[in-house]
Amino acid sequence: GYAQVTPTLVEYEESLFAGKSQSAAAQCFRVMDPISQRMMAVRADMTMQIARIASTLLEDEPRPLRLCYAGQTLRTTAQGLRSARQFRQIGIELFGANSQQADVEVIQTAASALMGLGLGALSVDLNLGGILDSLIGNLSAEDKAQLTEAVSRKDAKAIEAFNLPLIAQLVAAAGPAELALAKLGALKNVPAALADAIATLTQVAEQLKQRLGDQLSITIDPLELRGFGYYSGLGFSLFLKHEQVEVGRGGRYFTDSGETATGFTLYTEHLLHLLPVPA
């Protein structure tokens, strides 16, 4: 049910970096168009390109709109311990469906695709993408940057220095779904946005457990910070359970036109050496 779209590999900067796509600008190589003398850039990520197609060329299509894609991306810096900077990115995006069922559909589709390849036991790590910004809105820009870095490193001592106990409690809640949800449910006097996010997280975890059972282990890390920063709702990362290798990620976000969307991305280069050898 997901129709394939194919955005361009290179675009003019003003279109490629419009709106939320600006978050990927630092990872993009630039080139000069010899004809127009305008700067162009090679995409580092495809998600926001797909969102732009949904908001423009396909804005009149019935919702929910399901799109899939596959293509090369190029980044100026490597990810983590990997030295590669060119990736084949594949994935799906679901537009116009603001429900837990949509989040579950996307995660289940990603997990089922990986299990269908014979990759073995999988684990999904759920997070509350974007919620940190809403909880530290009163801090100065410098303090926000320092606290975000501390949360990213899971540096409990540095987090305590900001005297924000709720942030510390959210970081400490990370772990297996059952234990993490119990800790999150015990939080007192939480803001409405956080309460809603926790309720969504709980429902998605429960539905995934019902649909996939022991095929998919579920962990929760409420303030995990990954990706290009455009996620604004429930997010997730998929891991090979026994090797702790991340094989995919995704989550909920808003397009530049304000439409809700959710999707996932896999990088095939990360998967090839993990696949079982064919007979």
PDB file of all heavy atoms in Angstrom, residues 92 101-116 122 124 204 207-208 210-213 215-216 236 238 264:
ATOM      1  N   ILE A  92       9.772   4.233   4.568  1.00  0.00           N
ATOM      2  CA  ILE A  92       8.380   4.579   4.290  1.00  0.00           C
ATOM      3  C   ILE A  92       7.989   5.788   5.131  1.00  0.00           C
ATOM      4  O   ILE A  92       8.569   6.037   6.190  1.00  0.00           O
ATOM      5  CB  ILE A  92       7.408   3.416   4.589  1.00  0.00           C
ATOM      6  CG1 ILE A  92       7.424   3.060   6.092  1.00  0.00           C
ATOM      7  CG2 ILE A  92       7.719   2.200   3.730  1.00  0.00           C
ATOM      8  CD1 ILE A  92       6.374   2.026   6.491  1.00  0.00           C
ATOM      9  N   GLN A 101      -2.260   3.909  16.121  1.00  0.00           N
ATOM     10  CA  GLN A 101      -2.277   2.835  15.135  1.00  0.00           C
ATOM     11  C   GLN A 101      -1.280   3.105  14.003  1.00  0.00           C
ATOM     12  O   GLN A 101      -0.651   2.183  13.475  1.00  0.00           O
ATOM     13  CB  GLN A 101      -3.689   2.669  14.559  1.00  0.00           C
ATOM     14  CG  GLN A 101      -4.688   2.016  15.496  1.00  0.00           C
ATOM     15  CD  GLN A 101      -5.155   2.961  16.615  1.00  0.00           C
ATOM     16  OE1 GLN A 101      -5.048   4.184  16.470  1.00  0.00           O
ATOM     17  NE2 GLN A 101      -5.636   2.405  17.703  1.00  0.00           N
ATOM     18  N   ALA A 102      -1.129   4.379  13.621  1.00  0.00           N
ATOM     19  CA  ALA A 102      -0.176   4.727  12.560  1.00  0.00           C
ATOM     20  C   ALA A 102       1.259   4.475  13.024  1.00  0.00           C
ATOM     21  O   ALA A 102       2.083   3.940  12.272  1.00  0.00           O
ATOM     22  CB  ALA A 102      -0.360   6.191  12.158  1.00  0.00           C
ATOM     23  N   ASP A 103       1.571   4.865  14.271  1.00  0.00           N
ATOM     24  CA  ASP A 103       2.912   4.616  14.805  1.00  0.00           C
ATOM     25  C   ASP A 103       3.189   3.119  14.849  1.00  0.00           C
ATOM     26  O   ASP A 103       4.282   2.668  14.481  1.00  0.00           O
ATOM     27  CB  ASP A 103       3.039   5.213  16.215  1.00  0.00           C
ATOM     28  CG  ASP A 103       2.893   6.724  16.226  1.00  0.00           C
ATOM     29  OD1 ASP A 103       3.586   7.388  15.433  1.00  0.00           O
ATOM     30  OD2 ASP A 103       2.080   7.238  17.004  1.00  0.00           O
ATOM     31  N   VAL A 104       2.208   2.344  15.299  1.00  0.00           N
ATOM     32  CA  VAL A 104       2.379   0.898  15.395  1.00  0.00           C
ATOM     33  C   VAL A 104       2.551   0.292  14.004  1.00  0.00           C
ATOM     34  O   VAL A 104       3.399  -0.588  13.804  1.00  0.00           O
ATOM     35  CB  VAL A 104       1.178   0.263  16.121  1.00  0.00           C
ATOM     36  CG1 VAL A 104       1.254  -1.264  16.062  1.00  0.00           C
ATOM     37  CG2 VAL A 104       1.126   0.729  17.566  1.00  0.00           C
ATOM     38  N   GLU A 105       1.770   0.778  13.034  1.00  0.00           N
ATOM     39  CA  GLU A 105       1.886   0.255  11.665  1.00  0.00           C
ATOM     40  C   GLU A 105       3.298   0.430  11.125  1.00  0.00           C
ATOM     41  O   GLU A 105       3.882  -0.491  10.533  1.00  0.00           O
ATOM     42  CB  GLU A 105       0.894   0.967  10.748  1.00  0.00           C
ATOM     43  CG  GLU A 105       1.034   0.567   9.273  1.00  0.00           C
ATOM     44  CD  GLU A 105       0.115   1.353   8.348  1.00  0.00           C
ATOM     45  OE1 GLU A 105      -1.017   1.676   8.756  1.00  0.00           O
ATOM     46  OE2 GLU A 105       0.541   1.629   7.207  1.00  0.00           O
ATOM     47  N   VAL A 106       3.859   1.611  11.322  1.00  0.00           N
ATOM     48  CA  VAL A 106       5.192   1.906  10.790  1.00  0.00           C
ATOM     49  C   VAL A 106       6.255   1.043  11.476  1.00  0.00           C
ATOM     50  O   VAL A 106       7.128   0.450  10.820  1.00  0.00           O
ATOM     51  CB  VAL A 106       5.507   3.409  10.952  1.00  0.00           C
ATOM     52  CG1 VAL A 106       6.988   3.685  10.758  1.00  0.00           C
ATOM     53  CG2 VAL A 106       4.691   4.218   9.950  1.00  0.00           C
ATOM     54  N   ILE A 107       6.198   0.952  12.803  1.00  0.00           N
ATOM     55  CA  ILE A 107       7.183   0.145  13.527  1.00  0.00           C
ATOM     56  C   ILE A 107       7.045  -1.327  13.169  1.00  0.00           C
ATOM     57  O   ILE A 107       8.043  -2.026  12.941  1.00  0.00           O
ATOM     58  CB  ILE A 107       7.027   0.352  15.043  1.00  0.00           C
ATOM     59  CG1 ILE A 107       7.336   1.805  15.417  1.00  0.00           C
ATOM     60  CG2 ILE A 107       7.959  -0.594  15.814  1.00  0.00           C
ATOM     61  CD1 ILE A 107       7.010   2.156  16.856  1.00  0.00           C
ATOM     62  N   GLN A 108       5.803  -1.817  13.095  1.00  0.00           N
ATOM     63  CA  GLN A 108       5.582  -3.220  12.756  1.00  0.00           C
ATOM     64  C   GLN A 108       6.060  -3.520  11.333  1.00  0.00           C
ATOM     65  O   GLN A 108       6.637  -4.583  11.074  1.00  0.00           O
ATOM     66  CB  GLN A 108       4.100  -3.570  12.894  1.00  0.00           C
ATOM     67  CG  GLN A 108       3.801  -5.042  12.611  1.00  0.00           C
ATOM     68  CD  GLN A 108       2.336  -5.388  12.814  1.00  0.00           C
ATOM     69  OE1 GLN A 108       1.528  -4.538  13.172  1.00  0.00           O
ATOM     70  NE2 GLN A 108       1.999  -6.637  12.596  1.00  0.00           N
ATOM     71  N   THR A 109       5.837  -2.584  10.399  1.00  0.00           N
ATOM     72  CA  THR A 109       6.296  -2.776   9.024  1.00  0.00           C
ATOM     73  C   THR A 109       7.821  -2.873   8.971  1.00  0.00           C
ATOM     74  O   THR A 109       8.376  -3.741   8.289  1.00  0.00           O
ATOM     75  CB  THR A 109       5.805  -1.626   8.128  1.00  0.00           C
ATOM     76  OG1 THR A 109       4.380  -1.567   8.173  1.00  0.00           O
ATOM     77  CG2 THR A 109       6.251  -1.817   6.690  1.00  0.00           C
ATOM     78  N   ALA A 110       8.494  -1.985   9.701  1.00  0.00           N
ATOM     79  CA  ALA A 110       9.958  -2.015   9.730  1.00  0.00           C
ATOM     80  C   ALA A 110      10.463  -3.312  10.337  1.00  0.00           C
ATOM     81  O   ALA A 110      11.368  -3.964   9.794  1.00  0.00           O
ATOM     82  CB  ALA A 110      10.478  -0.816  10.524  1.00  0.00           C
ATOM     83  N   ALA A 111       9.896  -3.709  11.470  1.00  0.00           N
ATOM     84  CA  ALA A 111      10.337  -4.933  12.144  1.00  0.00           C
ATOM     85  C   ALA A 111      10.065  -6.158  11.285  1.00  0.00           C
ATOM     86  O   ALA A 111      10.916  -7.057  11.177  1.00  0.00           O
ATOM     87  CB  ALA A 111       9.640  -5.063  13.495  1.00  0.00           C
ATOM     88  N   SER A 112       8.889  -6.204  10.651  1.00  0.00           N
ATOM     89  CA  SER A 112       8.539  -7.350   9.817  1.00  0.00           C
ATOM     90  C   SER A 112       9.465  -7.452   8.614  1.00  0.00           C
ATOM     91  O   SER A 112       9.846  -8.558   8.201  1.00  0.00           O
ATOM     92  CB  SER A 112       7.082  -7.239   9.356  1.00  0.00           C
ATOM     93  OG  SER A 112       6.194  -7.264  10.457  1.00  0.00           O
ATOM     94  N   ALA A 113       9.830  -6.300   8.025  1.00  0.00           N
ATOM     95  CA  ALA A 113      10.754  -6.314   6.888  1.00  0.00           C
ATOM     96  C   ALA A 113      12.101  -6.896   7.288  1.00  0.00           C
ATOM     97  O   ALA A 113      12.686  -7.713   6.565  1.00  0.00           O
ATOM     98  CB  ALA A 113      10.929  -4.893   6.350  1.00  0.00           C
ATOM     99  N   LEU A 114      12.608  -6.494   8.450  1.00  0.00           N
ATOM    100  CA  LEU A 114      13.903  -6.988   8.911  1.00  0.00           C
ATOM    101  C   LEU A 114      13.838  -8.459   9.291  1.00  0.00           C
ATOM    102  O   LEU A 114      14.751  -9.237   8.983  1.00  0.00           O
ATOM    103  CB  LEU A 114      14.387  -6.145  10.095  1.00  0.00           C
ATOM    104  CG  LEU A 114      14.747  -4.700   9.736  1.00  0.00           C
ATOM    105  CD1 LEU A 114      14.923  -3.871  10.995  1.00  0.00           C
ATOM    106  CD2 LEU A 114      16.010  -4.655   8.897  1.00  0.00           C
ATOM    107  N   MET A 115      12.762  -8.870   9.949  1.00  0.00           N
ATOM    108  CA  MET A 115      12.625 -10.277  10.315  1.00  0.00           C
ATOM    109  C   MET A 115      12.484 -11.138   9.064  1.00  0.00           C
ATOM    110  O   MET A 115      12.975 -12.270   9.014  1.00  0.00           O
ATOM    111  CB  MET A 115      11.432 -10.465  11.254  1.00  0.00           C
ATOM    112  CG  MET A 115      11.669  -9.921  12.647  1.00  0.00           C
ATOM    113  SD  MET A 115      10.354 -10.305  13.835  1.00  0.00           S
ATOM    114  CE  MET A 115       9.046  -9.215  13.280  1.00  0.00           C
ATOM    115  N   GLY A 116      11.833 -10.580   8.024  1.00  0.00           N
ATOM    116  CA  GLY A 116      11.695 -11.307   6.775  1.00  0.00           C
ATOM    117  C   GLY A 116      13.018 -11.550   6.076  1.00  0.00           C
ATOM    118  O   GLY A 116      13.134 -12.460   5.247  1.00  0.00           O
ATOM    119  N   LEU A 122      14.992  -9.098  17.220  1.00  0.00           N
ATOM    120  CA  LEU A 122      15.062  -7.646  17.135  1.00  0.00           C
ATOM    121  C   LEU A 122      14.601  -7.002  18.435  1.00  0.00           C
ATOM    122  O   LEU A 122      13.818  -7.573  19.192  1.00  0.00           O
ATOM    123  CB  LEU A 122      14.185  -7.127  16.001  1.00  0.00           C
ATOM    124  CG  LEU A 122      14.606  -7.429  14.566  1.00  0.00           C
ATOM    125  CD1 LEU A 122      13.535  -6.942  13.607  1.00  0.00           C
ATOM    126  CD2 LEU A 122      15.930  -6.763  14.240  1.00  0.00           C
ATOM    127  N   VAL A 124      13.226  -3.011  19.767  1.00  0.00           N
ATOM    128  CA  VAL A 124      12.882  -1.642  19.415  1.00  0.00           C
ATOM    129  C   VAL A 124      12.995  -0.778  20.660  1.00  0.00           C
ATOM    130  O   VAL A 124      12.545  -1.150  21.741  1.00  0.00           O
ATOM    131  CB  VAL A 124      11.463  -1.540  18.807  1.00  0.00           C
ATOM    132  CG1 VAL A 124      10.392  -1.982  19.795  1.00  0.00           C
ATOM    133  CG2 VAL A 124      11.176  -0.122  18.320  1.00  0.00           C
ATOM    134  N   VAL A 204       1.377   2.516  22.409  1.00  0.00           N
ATOM    135  CA  VAL A 204       2.143   1.937  21.309  1.00  0.00           C
ATOM    136  C   VAL A 204       2.898   0.695  21.787  1.00  0.00           C
ATOM    137  O   VAL A 204       2.912  -0.339  21.100  1.00  0.00           O
ATOM    138  CB  VAL A 204       3.121   2.971  20.718  1.00  0.00           C
ATOM    139  CG1 VAL A 204       4.122   2.309  19.774  1.00  0.00           C
ATOM    140  CG2 VAL A 204       2.351   4.067  19.983  1.00  0.00           C
ATOM    141  N   GLN A 207       0.405  -2.177  22.168  1.00  0.00           N
ATOM    142  CA  GLN A 207      -0.062  -2.719  20.891  1.00  0.00           C
ATOM    143  C   GLN A 207       1.025  -3.518  20.182  1.00  0.00           C
ATOM    144  O   GLN A 207       0.744  -4.545  19.553  1.00  0.00           O
ATOM    145  CB  GLN A 207      -0.570  -1.590  19.998  1.00  0.00           C
ATOM    146  CG  GLN A 207      -1.865  -0.957  20.490  1.00  0.00           C
ATOM    147  CD  GLN A 207      -2.417   0.064  19.504  1.00  0.00           C
ATOM    148  OE1 GLN A 207      -2.454  -0.173  18.305  1.00  0.00           O
ATOM    149  NE2 GLN A 207      -2.841   1.201  20.024  1.00  0.00           N
ATOM    150  N   LEU A 208       2.263  -3.055  20.268  1.00  0.00           N
ATOM    151  CA  LEU A 208       3.363  -3.809  19.669  1.00  0.00           C
ATOM    152  C   LEU A 208       3.518  -5.167  20.341  1.00  0.00           C
ATOM    153  O   LEU A 208       3.765  -6.180  19.679  1.00  0.00           O
ATOM    154  CB  LEU A 208       4.670  -3.019  19.773  1.00  0.00           C
ATOM    155  CG  LEU A 208       4.822  -1.818  18.844  1.00  0.00           C
ATOM    156  CD1 LEU A 208       6.087  -1.045  19.192  1.00  0.00           C
ATOM    157  CD2 LEU A 208       4.865  -2.273  17.382  1.00  0.00           C
ATOM    158  N   GLN A 210       1.145  -6.858  21.782  1.00  0.00           N
ATOM    159  CA  GLN A 210       0.022  -7.699  21.372  1.00  0.00           C
ATOM    160  C   GLN A 210       0.219  -8.263  19.969  1.00  0.00           C
ATOM    161  O   GLN A 210      -0.099  -9.430  19.701  1.00  0.00           O
ATOM    162  CB  GLN A 210      -1.281  -6.890  21.427  1.00  0.00           C
ATOM    163  CG  GLN A 210      -1.727  -6.510  22.835  1.00  0.00           C
ATOM    164  CD  GLN A 210      -2.897  -5.546  22.827  1.00  0.00           C
ATOM    165  OE1 GLN A 210      -3.448  -5.226  21.767  1.00  0.00           O
ATOM    166  NE2 GLN A 210      -3.290  -5.075  23.995  1.00  0.00           N
ATOM    167  N   ARG A 211       0.770  -7.450  19.067  1.00  0.00           N
ATOM    168  CA  ARG A 211       0.888  -7.867  17.667  1.00  0.00           C
ATOM    169  C   ARG A 211       2.100  -8.758  17.405  1.00  0.00           C
ATOM    170  O   ARG A 211       2.021  -9.687  16.598  1.00  0.00           O
ATOM    171  CB  ARG A 211       0.973  -6.633  16.758  1.00  0.00           C
ATOM    172  CG  ARG A 211      -0.287  -5.794  16.736  1.00  0.00           C
ATOM    173  CD  ARG A 211      -0.210  -4.779  15.626  1.00  0.00           C
ATOM    174  NE  ARG A 211      -1.345  -3.858  15.617  1.00  0.00           N
ATOM    175  CZ  ARG A 211      -1.618  -3.016  14.632  1.00  0.00           C
ATOM    176  NH1 ARG A 211      -0.841  -2.984  13.566  1.00  0.00           N
ATOM    177  NH2 ARG A 211      -2.662  -2.208  14.701  1.00  0.00           N
ATOM    178  N   LEU A 212       3.230  -8.461  18.056  1.00  0.00           N
ATOM    179  CA  LEU A 212       4.471  -9.160  17.739  1.00  0.00           C
ATOM    180  C   LEU A 212       4.961 -10.069  18.858  1.00  0.00           C
ATOM    181  O   LEU A 212       5.848 -10.897  18.635  1.00  0.00           O
ATOM    182  CB  LEU A 212       5.571  -8.151  17.373  1.00  0.00           C
ATOM    183  CG  LEU A 212       5.279  -7.330  16.107  1.00  0.00           C
ATOM    184  CD1 LEU A 212       6.335  -6.256  15.923  1.00  0.00           C
ATOM    185  CD2 LEU A 212       5.224  -8.229  14.879  1.00  0.00           C
ATOM    186  N   GLY A 213       4.414  -9.915  20.058  1.00  0.00           N
ATOM    187  CA  GLY A 213       4.769 -10.801  21.159  1.00  0.00           C
ATOM    188  C   GLY A 213       6.264 -10.860  21.414  1.00  0.00           C
ATOM    189  O   GLY A 213       6.952  -9.835  21.449  1.00  0.00           O
ATOM    190  N   GLN A 215       8.536 -11.832  19.462  1.00  0.00           N
ATOM    191  CA  GLN A 215       9.362 -11.592  18.281  1.00  0.00           C
ATOM    192  C   GLN A 215      10.130 -10.270  18.379  1.00  0.00           C
ATOM    193  O   GLN A 215      11.156 -10.101  17.722  1.00  0.00           O
ATOM    194  CB  GLN A 215       8.492 -11.563  17.021  1.00  0.00           C
ATOM    195  CG  GLN A 215       7.889 -12.891  16.630  1.00  0.00           C
ATOM    196  CD  GLN A 215       7.041 -12.742  15.384  1.00  0.00           C
ATOM    197  OE1 GLN A 215       5.969 -12.129  15.400  1.00  0.00           O
ATOM    198  NE2 GLN A 215       7.521 -13.287  14.284  1.00  0.00           N
ATOM    199  N   LEU A 216       9.603  -9.339  19.166  1.00  0.00           N
ATOM    200  CA  LEU A 216      10.205  -8.008  19.258  1.00  0.00           C
ATOM    201  C   LEU A 216      10.313  -7.592  20.713  1.00  0.00           C
ATOM    202  O   LEU A 216       9.297  -7.400  21.395  1.00  0.00           O
ATOM    203  CB  LEU A 216       9.349  -6.996  18.490  1.00  0.00           C
ATOM    204  CG  LEU A 216       9.873  -5.561  18.413  1.00  0.00           C
ATOM    205  CD1 LEU A 216      11.139  -5.509  17.559  1.00  0.00           C
ATOM    206  CD2 LEU A 216       8.810  -4.630  17.840  1.00  0.00           C
ATOM    207  N   PHE A 236      11.658   5.989  17.438  1.00  0.00           N
ATOM    208  CA  PHE A 236      12.123   4.636  17.737  1.00  0.00           C
ATOM    209  C   PHE A 236      13.409   4.324  16.992  1.00  0.00           C
ATOM    210  O   PHE A 236      13.717   4.929  15.960  1.00  0.00           O
ATOM    211  CB  PHE A 236      11.048   3.603  17.390  1.00  0.00           C
ATOM    212  CG  PHE A 236      10.778   3.466  15.905  1.00  0.00           C
ATOM    213  CD1 PHE A 236      11.448   2.524  15.134  1.00  0.00           C
ATOM    214  CD2 PHE A 236       9.841   4.279  15.279  1.00  0.00           C
ATOM    215  CE1 PHE A 236      11.201   2.402  13.781  1.00  0.00           C
ATOM    216  CE2 PHE A 236       9.583   4.157  13.927  1.00  0.00           C
ATOM    217  CZ  PHE A 236      10.269   3.213  13.166  1.00  0.00           C
ATOM    218  N   LEU A 238      15.585   0.617  15.859  1.00  0.00           N
ATOM    219  CA  LEU A 238      15.558  -0.838  15.812  1.00  0.00           C
ATOM    220  C   LEU A 238      16.978  -1.383  15.915  1.00  0.00           C
ATOM    221  O   LEU A 238      17.888  -0.890  15.246  1.00  0.00           O
ATOM    222  CB  LEU A 238      14.912  -1.316  14.512  1.00  0.00           C
ATOM    223  CG  LEU A 238      13.381  -1.226  14.461  1.00  0.00           C
ATOM    224  CD1 LEU A 238      12.891  -1.243  13.021  1.00  0.00           C
ATOM    225  CD2 LEU A 238      12.755  -2.361  15.250  1.00  0.00           C
ATOM    226  N   PHE A 264       9.895   5.439   8.859  1.00  0.00           N
ATOM    227  CA  PHE A 264      11.149   4.832   9.299  1.00  0.00           C
ATOM    228  C   PHE A 264      12.154   4.834   8.158  1.00  0.00           C
ATOM    229  O   PHE A 264      11.796   4.925   6.979  1.00  0.00           O
ATOM    230  CB  PHE A 264      10.937   3.417   9.842  1.00  0.00           C
ATOM    231  CG  PHE A 264      10.769   2.340   8.788  1.00  0.00           C
ATOM    232  CD1 PHE A 264      11.869   1.825   8.109  1.00  0.00           C
ATOM    233  CD2 PHE A 264       9.525   1.822   8.494  1.00  0.00           C
ATOM    234  CE1 PHE A 264      11.725   0.828   7.150  1.00  0.00           C
ATOM    235  CE2 PHE A 264       9.366   0.823   7.537  1.00  0.00           C
ATOM    236  CZ  PHE A 264      10.477   0.326   6.861  1.00  0.00           C
TER     237      PHE A 264
END
